[in-house]
Amino acid sequence: MSLNEKQNHGTGIDLSHHLSKVSRARKISPLRGLQKYMSKPGLVSLAGGLPSAEYFPFASVTGELLVPNSFPLNTESESSRSWFWKLFSRAEKERTTSFTVGKYPKHPGDLSLESSLQYSLASGQPQLQEIVHEFVERVFQPGYSKWATLIHTGNTAGFHAVVQTILNPGEGLMVSEWTYPGAMAIAQPYDIRAVPIGMDSEGMSSISLRQTLAEWDESARGMARPHVLYVIPIGQNPAGTTMRVARKREIYDICVEYDVIIVEDDPYFFLQEGKYVPKSERVSEPELDDEAFIASLAPSFLKIDYQGRVIRMDTFSKTVCPGARLGWFTCNPMFAERFERTTEASAAAPCGLTQVYVASLLLNWRYTGYMRWLKGLRIQYKQRRDHLVDCIAEEFHMQRTISMEGITESATMYHASLKPKRSFVPLSEKDLAFSKPLFSFIAPSAGMFVWLTLSLEDHPSFSSLGYKAVEMKLWTEIAEAGVLFAPGAMFSPVEVEDDTPGPGHFRISFSDSTPEGMKKAIGVFGAVLRKFMQAS
């Protein structure tokens, strides 16, 4: 059977052997088990301990929503730079529409505070569940027929549930060699051991993954071969790489061969900004309809999953707001049912008030409105990305090359060195040393971060201190000058020692600063770096 046939007809396979001992032991909460009867017409329930909705002190909830086309799609016109003139100057009043949710529903199926503020389903409010399920079907297009969605309280809590559900203490978790430290902070207290997988210009390397699994020596490693892989395929945090569908197929096929579950953490899916183009070479982008927009995005692992071995985590944090603490799983029903049991034993259910606001937003916008919002949002972050890289190009002498070897092969690399000082005095040896590239990067094609690889070998203390100490010394001086970058070592899934080989790194974000703030920060970085390389 071909892959396309598997995608069209697959119903998934039994993957219950991946469940942890804790997950196998979870039972349906006795009180939660009664909830399936709650919707029965005419039911008089005396079984639960539900507070009376009459005593909820909220008569209604009202909000003002931005309209879906608040941000333009044309990157050529001056008006497209709305984040310059709208978000910061507030030169134009934002266009809004309002919503109100009352305590009691006016029509069957309406959102109401009576149900939303009550003890409710661990799977989420039915209205929000319906919206999410339709959205996944239309956008992510899972490759098998029996899949489920489940609302959760953000990807951090979602990954916590994943760890408890499919990993036992002492087992390994395969992750990229640079990865999101929040996920590692969740796994490590459970004695889950990180197994780093090499990366290249698309993120996790399929070659490194196969080699790790094929050459696994249980006695030498002190644990069984890992059966779970955690990956951030789009806008990889911290590297900003985007994994194309061909690479996803390679990784998926390897995971099928070695019976590995793929945990796809994808908060930046709709922030696929595309290739960075220098300012002098930019042209206007065409506006895309919804189908063309979806087709332009690197697809989810879900689309090639015919066995149900992908657990995808989505979040509203990057497309609505992080404080909502809402997201959802898409996975096979067996995993969804186990995640539901985990929620019952922890948060009980996602926050009802938050679900009212997010569901009201999406009910107001509908699918077409939300897609319009996402298209505009992508342009806004693209402009922020471009502005930050433009600032680096203005502050430093930047050389563009096509990498011909190593993990960055075929990628467009930018190498930055300090611009020479305007002087009639001949350059000294120190001047020549730090006129060489001091850092390099691949401009991110998605997400919120630029990942700098430092080249500080010519620093006077490099040979005696090592790269880690020199990296932290530079980071400290930049911080003391009033600019905060994220030090690279924090993104290593295993501890970076003083003698760990390799260059240093900084992760810098373009998501939340003003244009002036970005320009100032890069100027400070340049001034500190010039002084730093001259230090004796």
Side-chain angles (χ1 to χ4, degrees):
M1 183 179 286
S2 70
L3 180 59
N4 286 337
E5 289 173 327
K6 290 173 182 175
Q7 288 178 329
N8 291 335
H9 302 291
T11 58
I13 63 174
D14 182 9
L15 295 166
S16 59
H17 57 283
H18 286 281
L19 294 175
S20 68
K21 293 178 182 179
V22 169
S23 182
R24 292 174 187 274
R26 291 195 189 280
K27 307 296 183 185
I28 295 177
S29 169
L31 290 175
R32 298 286 170 181
L34 300 176
Q35 286 189 328
K36 64 181 180 180
Y37 299 103
M38 294 300 185
S39 59
K40 186 175 181 179
L43 178 76
V44 178
S45 174
L46 302 179
L50 280 61
S52 172
E54 294 181 42
Y55 307 134
F56 295 169
F58 301 94
S60 66
V61 169
T62 301
E64 293 289 318
L65 310 172
L66 294 183
V67 296
N69 60 345
S70 293
F71 303 113
L73 301 179
N74 187 340
T75 60
E76 184 178 38
S77 66
E78 186 63 28
S79 64
S80 71
R81 300 189 177 276
S82 59
W83 68 286
F84 281 92
W85 58 265
K86 183 175 182 179
L87 294 183
F88 302 111
S89 69
R90 301 296 180 185
E92 181 177 289
K93 181 176 173 55
E94 294 173 327
R95 292 176 295 150
T96 63
T97 184
S98 62
F99 76 91
T100 299
V101 175
K103 180 175 285 189
Y104 303 105
K106 293 181 178 179
H107 308 96
D110 282 355
L111 279 175
S112 70
L113 300 185
E114 177 187 29
S115 61
S116 297
L117 301 188
Q118 187 58 269
Y119 291 120
S120 60
L121 298 171
S123 57
Q125 289 290 326
Q127 295 89 343
L128 187 57
Q129 269 278 28
E130 184 178 345
I131 293 167
V132 162
H133 196 87
E134 178 194 0
F135 186 79
V136 169
E137 188 169 38
R138 297 179 70 168
V139 175
F140 300 126
Q141 304 162 12
Y144 63 108
S145 59
K146 293 184 178 179
W147 52 274
T149 55
L150 184 81
I151 306 299
H152 60 56
T153 56
N155 280 8
T156 298
F159 186 62
H160 196 189
V162 168
V163 168
Q164 291 185 329
T165 301
I166 61 174
L167 285 162
N168 290 302
E171 291 185 340
L173 172 65
M174 292 179 288
V175 299
S176 299
E177 62 181 312
W178 300 104
T179 193
Y180 174 52
M184 298 302 94
I186 291 168
Q188 287 165 354
Y190 290 96
D191 191 27
I192 306 302
R193 306 177 193 178
V195 179
I197 304 297
M199 297 175 65
D200 60 19
S201 59
E202 285 192 49
M204 182 177 285
S205 163
S206 56
I207 296 173
S208 179
L209 176 63
R210 177 173 289 281
Q211 183 178 10
T212 298
L213 290 168
E215 298 178 359
W216 191 267
D217 186 330
E218 185 170 331
S219 59
R221 295 272 196 164
M223 60 179 170
R225 190 173 63 201
H227 65 103
V228 180
L229 180 148
Y230 170 81
V231 63
I232 307 170
I234 306 296
Q236 199 271 351
N237 187 358
T241 56
T242 295
M243 188 181 292
R244 292 176 292 186
V245 67
R247 172 65 55 80
K248 288 190 172 84
R249 289 188 191 280
E250 293 168 0
I251 288 176
Y252 185 84
D253 289 345
I254 293 169
C255 289
V256 169
E257 181 179 348
Y258 289 93
D259 191 22
V260 172
I261 300 299
I262 299 172
V263 182
E264 183 179 28
D265 186 0
D266 207 0
Y268 308 107
F269 180 84
F270 292 102
L271 303 187
Q272 297 188 39
E273 296 119 4
K275 183 179 179 180
Y276 169 79
V277 177
K279 190 184 298 187
S280 61
E281 302 173 23
R282 285 176 203 153
V283 296
S284 177
E285 289 188 11
E287 295 186 12
L288 303 176
D289 62 27
D290 292 349
E291 289 188 4
F293 173 59
I294 293 170
S296 74
L297 303 175
S300 166
F301 272 102
L302 285 177
K303 193 167 184 177
I304 60 174
D305 180 19
Y306 58 89
Q307 292 190 331
R309 64 176 58 252
V310 172
I311 299 172
R312 180 180 171 87
M313 299 189 301
D314 280 282
T315 177
F316 289 110
S317 291
K318 308 302 187 293
T319 60
V320 177
C321 62
R325 303 318 307 146
L326 277 182
W328 70 91
F329 292 112
T330 306
C331 56
N332 75 51
M334 183 271 295
F335 285 140
E337 188 273 338
R338 290 291 88 191
F339 293 144
E340 189 173 356
R341 302 290 80 78
T342 300
T343 301
E344 289 174 352
S346 55
C351 173
L353 196 57
T354 298
Q355 290 185 81
V356 164
Y357 276 92
V358 174
S360 296
L361 175 77
L362 298 178
L363 286 169
N364 183 285
W365 282 355
R366 301 294 177 180
Y367 174 81
T368 55
Y370 190 37
M371 292 303 297
R372 175 60 179 81
W373 173 264
L374 293 171
K375 287 187 281 187
L377 199 65
R378 182 185 74 89
I379 294 297
Q380 295 301 301
Y381 281 103
K382 176 184 176 68
Q383 291 179 167
R384 287 174 177 268
R385 187 274 313 270
D386 289 351
H387 183 68
L388 179 63
V389 179
D390 290 347
C391 288
I392 296 173
E394 291 171 6
E395 177 66 26
F396 296 90
H397 174 68
M398 204 153 73
Q399 182 182 8
R400 179 172 49 171
T401 65
I402 303 297
S403 179
M404 302 301 293
E405 59 183 16
I407 64 172
T408 59
E409 184 176 359
S410 77
T412 300
M413 296 288 297
Y414 291 90
H415 307 271
S417 56
L418 294 172
K419 289 182 177 179
K421 291 180 286 188
R422 294 180 179 178
S423 173
F424 295 105
V425 180
L427 295 176
S428 66
E429 288 186 12
K430 286 185 177 180
D431 291 325
L432 289 171
F434 65 74
S435 67
K436 295 189 294 185
L438 297 179
F439 63 89
S440 60
F441 61 95
I442 299 173
S445 54
M448 296 178 167
F449 312 110
V450 176
W451 181 239
L452 305 184
T453 299
L454 305 175
S455 302
L456 304 176
E457 296 83 356
D458 288 316
H459 186 273
S461 301
F462 187 86
S463 58
S464 59
L465 295 179
Y467 94 84
K468 180 182 178 183
V470 172
E471 172 191 337
M472 288 308 299
K473 181 176 173 64
L474 174 59
W475 179 87
T476 301
E477 292 190 15
I478 295 169
E480 290 178 349
V483 173
L484 198 61
F485 292 165
M490 68 186 290
F491 299 96
S492 173
V494 295
E495 187 172 357
V496 176
E497 306 289 349
D498 289 338
D499 58 351
T500 301
H505 297 85
F506 290 149
R507 190 197 75 175
I508 57 178
S509 170
F510 53 82
S511 61
D512 192 38
S513 180
T514 65
E516 296 78 14
M518 290 188 217
K519 186 173 181 62
K520 177 181 177 181
I522 298 304
V524 169
F525 179 35
V528 170
L529 193 53
R530 180 180 295 278
K531 183 178 179 182
F532 182 78
M533 293 304 295
Q534 288 178 315
S536 58

